[in-house]
Short mmCIF file of all heavy atoms in Angstrom, two decimals:
data_model
loop_
_atom_site.label_atom_id
_atom_site.label_comp_id
_atom_site.label_asym_id
_atom_site.label_seq_id
_atom_site.Cartn_x
_atom_site.Cartn_y
_atom_site.Cartn_z
N VAL B 172 2.01 -9.93 -27.63
CA VAL B 172 1.73 -11.25 -27.11
C VAL B 172 1.17 -11.19 -25.74
O VAL B 172 1.58 -10.31 -24.91
CB VAL B 172 3.07 -12.05 -27.09
CG1 VAL B 172 2.85 -13.46 -26.53
CG2 VAL B 172 3.75 -12.09 -28.40
N ASN B 173 0.06 -11.96 -25.41
CA ASN B 173 -0.31 -11.95 -24.06
C ASN B 173 -0.14 -13.37 -23.47
O ASN B 173 0.04 -14.29 -24.29
CB ASN B 173 -1.86 -11.59 -23.92
CG ASN B 173 -2.78 -12.59 -24.56
OD1 ASN B 173 -2.87 -13.72 -24.11
ND2 ASN B 173 -3.47 -12.09 -25.56
N MET B 174 0.10 -13.42 -22.18
CA MET B 174 0.56 -14.69 -21.62
C MET B 174 0.22 -14.80 -20.14
O MET B 174 -0.12 -13.73 -19.50
CB MET B 174 2.09 -14.73 -21.83
CG MET B 174 2.76 -13.56 -21.15
SD MET B 174 4.50 -13.53 -21.35
CE MET B 174 4.66 -13.05 -23.07
N ASP B 175 0.39 -15.98 -19.60
CA ASP B 175 0.21 -16.25 -18.22
C ASP B 175 1.54 -16.05 -17.47
O ASP B 175 2.50 -16.77 -17.66
CB ASP B 175 -0.31 -17.64 -17.94
CG ASP B 175 -0.51 -17.96 -16.48
OD1 ASP B 175 -0.41 -17.01 -15.67
OD2 ASP B 175 -0.86 -19.05 -16.16
N THR B 176 1.61 -14.94 -16.67
CA THR B 176 2.83 -14.71 -15.95
C THR B 176 2.66 -14.86 -14.46
O THR B 176 3.40 -14.42 -13.62
CB THR B 176 3.39 -13.28 -16.19
OG1 THR B 176 2.32 -12.42 -15.85
CG2 THR B 176 3.77 -13.11 -17.68
N GLY B 177 1.41 -15.56 -14.16
CA GLY B 177 1.19 -15.79 -12.73
C GLY B 177 0.47 -14.63 -12.06
O GLY B 177 0.34 -14.54 -10.90
N ILE B 178 0.05 -13.62 -12.92
CA ILE B 178 -0.53 -12.40 -12.47
C ILE B 178 -1.95 -12.51 -12.76
O ILE B 178 -2.45 -12.89 -13.73
CB ILE B 178 0.06 -11.22 -13.21
CG1 ILE B 178 1.56 -11.03 -12.79
CG2 ILE B 178 -0.73 -9.94 -12.91
CD1 ILE B 178 1.78 -10.76 -11.36
N MET B 181 -5.13 -11.79 -15.67
CA MET B 181 -4.31 -11.95 -16.87
C MET B 181 -4.88 -11.03 -18.03
O MET B 181 -6.05 -11.06 -18.27
CB MET B 181 -4.29 -13.36 -17.34
CG MET B 181 -3.40 -13.72 -18.52
SD MET B 181 -3.44 -15.52 -18.72
CE MET B 181 -3.26 -15.53 -20.52
N TRP B 182 -4.01 -10.22 -18.61
CA TRP B 182 -4.45 -9.39 -19.66
C TRP B 182 -4.46 -10.15 -20.90
O TRP B 182 -3.46 -10.11 -21.67
CB TRP B 182 -3.56 -8.22 -19.73
CG TRP B 182 -3.85 -7.06 -18.79
CD1 TRP B 182 -4.61 -7.18 -17.59
CD2 TRP B 182 -3.59 -5.72 -18.81
NE1 TRP B 182 -4.64 -6.02 -16.98
CE2 TRP B 182 -4.04 -5.13 -17.66
CE3 TRP B 182 -2.81 -5.02 -19.79
CZ2 TRP B 182 -3.87 -3.72 -17.43
CZ3 TRP B 182 -2.66 -3.58 -19.54
CH2 TRP B 182 -3.20 -3.00 -18.39
N ASP B 183 -5.56 -10.78 -21.26
CA ASP B 183 -5.49 -11.58 -22.51
C ASP B 183 -6.39 -11.01 -23.60
O ASP B 183 -6.58 -11.56 -24.64
CB ASP B 183 -5.97 -13.07 -22.21
CG ASP B 183 -7.33 -13.12 -21.55
OD1 ASP B 183 -7.96 -12.04 -21.45
OD2 ASP B 183 -7.78 -14.23 -21.25
N PHE B 187 -1.89 -11.58 -29.10
CA PHE B 187 -2.03 -12.99 -29.42
C PHE B 187 -1.54 -13.80 -28.21
O PHE B 187 -0.57 -13.51 -27.67
CB PHE B 187 -1.20 -13.33 -30.67
CG PHE B 187 -1.59 -12.53 -31.85
CD1 PHE B 187 -0.92 -11.31 -32.12
CD2 PHE B 187 -2.56 -12.90 -32.74
CE1 PHE B 187 -1.28 -10.56 -33.28
CE2 PHE B 187 -2.85 -12.19 -33.88
CZ PHE B 187 -2.22 -10.99 -34.11
N ASN B 188 -2.35 -14.85 -27.90
CA ASN B 188 -1.98 -15.62 -26.75
C ASN B 188 -0.72 -16.56 -26.93
O ASN B 188 -0.57 -17.16 -27.96
CB ASN B 188 -3.19 -16.46 -26.28
CG ASN B 188 -2.90 -17.18 -24.94
OD1 ASN B 188 -2.62 -18.41 -24.92
ND2 ASN B 188 -2.79 -16.43 -23.85
N TYR B 189 0.11 -16.59 -25.97
CA TYR B 189 1.32 -17.46 -26.00
C TYR B 189 0.97 -18.93 -25.79
O TYR B 189 1.32 -19.73 -26.55
CB TYR B 189 2.37 -16.90 -24.95
CG TYR B 189 3.52 -17.80 -24.80
CD1 TYR B 189 4.63 -17.62 -25.63
CD2 TYR B 189 3.53 -18.78 -23.80
CE1 TYR B 189 5.72 -18.52 -25.43
CE2 TYR B 189 4.69 -19.62 -23.65
CZ TYR B 189 5.72 -19.47 -24.50
OH TYR B 189 6.84 -20.28 -24.34
N GLU B 190 0.24 -19.23 -24.68
CA GLU B 190 0.07 -20.50 -24.31
C GLU B 190 -0.68 -21.42 -25.32
O GLU B 190 -0.41 -22.60 -25.52
CB GLU B 190 -0.68 -20.60 -22.92
CG GLU B 190 0.25 -20.29 -21.74
CD GLU B 190 0.39 -18.80 -21.57
OE1 GLU B 190 -0.29 -18.03 -22.07
OE2 GLU B 190 1.37 -18.39 -20.78
N ASN B 191 -1.69 -20.74 -25.98
CA ASN B 191 -2.49 -21.54 -26.87
C ASN B 191 -1.97 -21.59 -28.37
O ASN B 191 -2.54 -22.14 -29.28
CB ASN B 191 -3.99 -21.20 -26.87
CG ASN B 191 -4.18 -19.81 -27.48
OD1 ASN B 191 -3.21 -19.22 -28.14
ND2 ASN B 191 -5.37 -19.27 -27.34
N GLY B 192 -0.75 -21.02 -28.53
CA GLY B 192 -0.04 -21.15 -29.79
C GLY B 192 -0.44 -20.09 -30.83
O GLY B 192 0.07 -20.01 -31.95
N GLN B 193 -1.38 -19.18 -30.38
CA GLN B 193 -1.83 -18.10 -31.38
C GLN B 193 -0.69 -17.29 -31.77
O GLN B 193 -0.56 -16.85 -32.95
CB GLN B 193 -2.90 -17.28 -30.59
CG GLN B 193 -4.10 -17.03 -31.39
CD GLN B 193 -5.05 -16.19 -30.47
OE1 GLN B 193 -4.66 -15.17 -29.93
NE2 GLN B 193 -6.25 -16.64 -30.40
N ALA B 194 0.15 -16.93 -30.72
CA ALA B 194 1.30 -15.99 -31.00
C ALA B 194 2.23 -16.62 -32.11
O ALA B 194 2.64 -15.88 -32.94
CB ALA B 194 1.98 -15.72 -29.71
N TRP B 195 2.51 -17.83 -31.88
CA TRP B 195 3.38 -18.50 -32.76
C TRP B 195 2.82 -18.60 -34.17
O TRP B 195 3.52 -18.33 -35.19
CB TRP B 195 3.78 -19.93 -32.28
CG TRP B 195 4.71 -20.63 -33.21
CD1 TRP B 195 4.46 -21.79 -33.86
CD2 TRP B 195 6.04 -20.27 -33.58
NE1 TRP B 195 5.53 -22.16 -34.63
CE2 TRP B 195 6.48 -21.19 -34.48
CE3 TRP B 195 6.85 -19.17 -33.28
CZ2 TRP B 195 7.81 -21.21 -35.05
CZ3 TRP B 195 8.10 -19.11 -33.97
CH2 TRP B 195 8.58 -20.12 -34.81
N ILE B 216 2.16 -6.94 -19.59
CA ILE B 216 1.55 -7.99 -18.86
C ILE B 216 0.53 -7.44 -17.83
O ILE B 216 -0.25 -8.28 -17.24
CB ILE B 216 2.60 -8.80 -18.16
CG1 ILE B 216 3.52 -7.98 -17.21
CG2 ILE B 216 3.43 -9.67 -19.10
CD1 ILE B 216 4.55 -8.77 -16.43
N ILE B 228 9.19 -13.91 -16.17
CA ILE B 228 8.47 -15.02 -16.91
C ILE B 228 8.19 -14.45 -18.31
O ILE B 228 8.34 -15.21 -19.34
CB ILE B 228 7.22 -15.36 -16.15
CG1 ILE B 228 7.56 -15.98 -14.79
CG2 ILE B 228 6.29 -16.24 -16.96
CD1 ILE B 228 6.37 -16.21 -13.82
N ALA B 229 7.73 -13.18 -18.35
CA ALA B 229 7.40 -12.58 -19.70
C ALA B 229 8.59 -12.53 -20.61
O ALA B 229 8.48 -12.93 -21.79
CB ALA B 229 6.89 -11.15 -19.52
N LYS B 232 9.20 -16.08 -22.04
CA LYS B 232 8.24 -16.53 -22.98
C LYS B 232 8.47 -15.77 -24.33
O LYS B 232 8.36 -16.45 -25.35
CB LYS B 232 6.78 -16.32 -22.41
CG LYS B 232 6.48 -17.39 -21.35
CD LYS B 232 5.02 -17.42 -20.87
CE LYS B 232 4.90 -18.55 -19.90
NZ LYS B 232 3.54 -18.64 -19.31
N LEU B 233 8.62 -14.46 -24.26
CA LEU B 233 8.96 -13.78 -25.44
C LEU B 233 10.26 -14.30 -26.05
O LEU B 233 10.40 -14.45 -27.34
CB LEU B 233 9.10 -12.25 -25.29
CG LEU B 233 7.93 -11.39 -24.98
CD1 LEU B 233 8.29 -9.90 -24.99
CD2 LEU B 233 6.79 -11.65 -26.00
N ASP B 235 11.49 -17.30 -25.89
CA ASP B 235 11.27 -18.55 -26.49
C ASP B 235 10.79 -18.31 -27.99
O ASP B 235 11.24 -18.97 -28.87
CB ASP B 235 10.12 -19.31 -25.84
CG ASP B 235 10.66 -20.08 -24.62
OD1 ASP B 235 11.91 -20.10 -24.47
OD2 ASP B 235 9.90 -20.73 -23.87
N LEU B 236 9.84 -17.38 -28.08
CA LEU B 236 9.26 -17.11 -29.48
C LEU B 236 10.37 -16.62 -30.36
O LEU B 236 10.47 -16.98 -31.53
CB LEU B 236 8.12 -16.02 -29.37
CG LEU B 236 6.88 -16.51 -28.68
CD1 LEU B 236 5.90 -15.36 -28.51
CD2 LEU B 236 6.18 -17.66 -29.49
#
Side-chain angles (χ1 to χ4, degrees):
Chain B
V172 180
N173 68 64
M174 58 182 75
D175 180 6
T176 56
I178 291 300
M181 180 176 149
W182 278 22
D183 57 2
F187 303 90
N188 184 254
Y189 171 85
E190 283 79 16
N191 68 12
Q193 229 180 49
W195 179 242
I216 55 178
I228 296 171
K232 291 188 173 174
L233 283 191
D235 276 354
L236 292 174

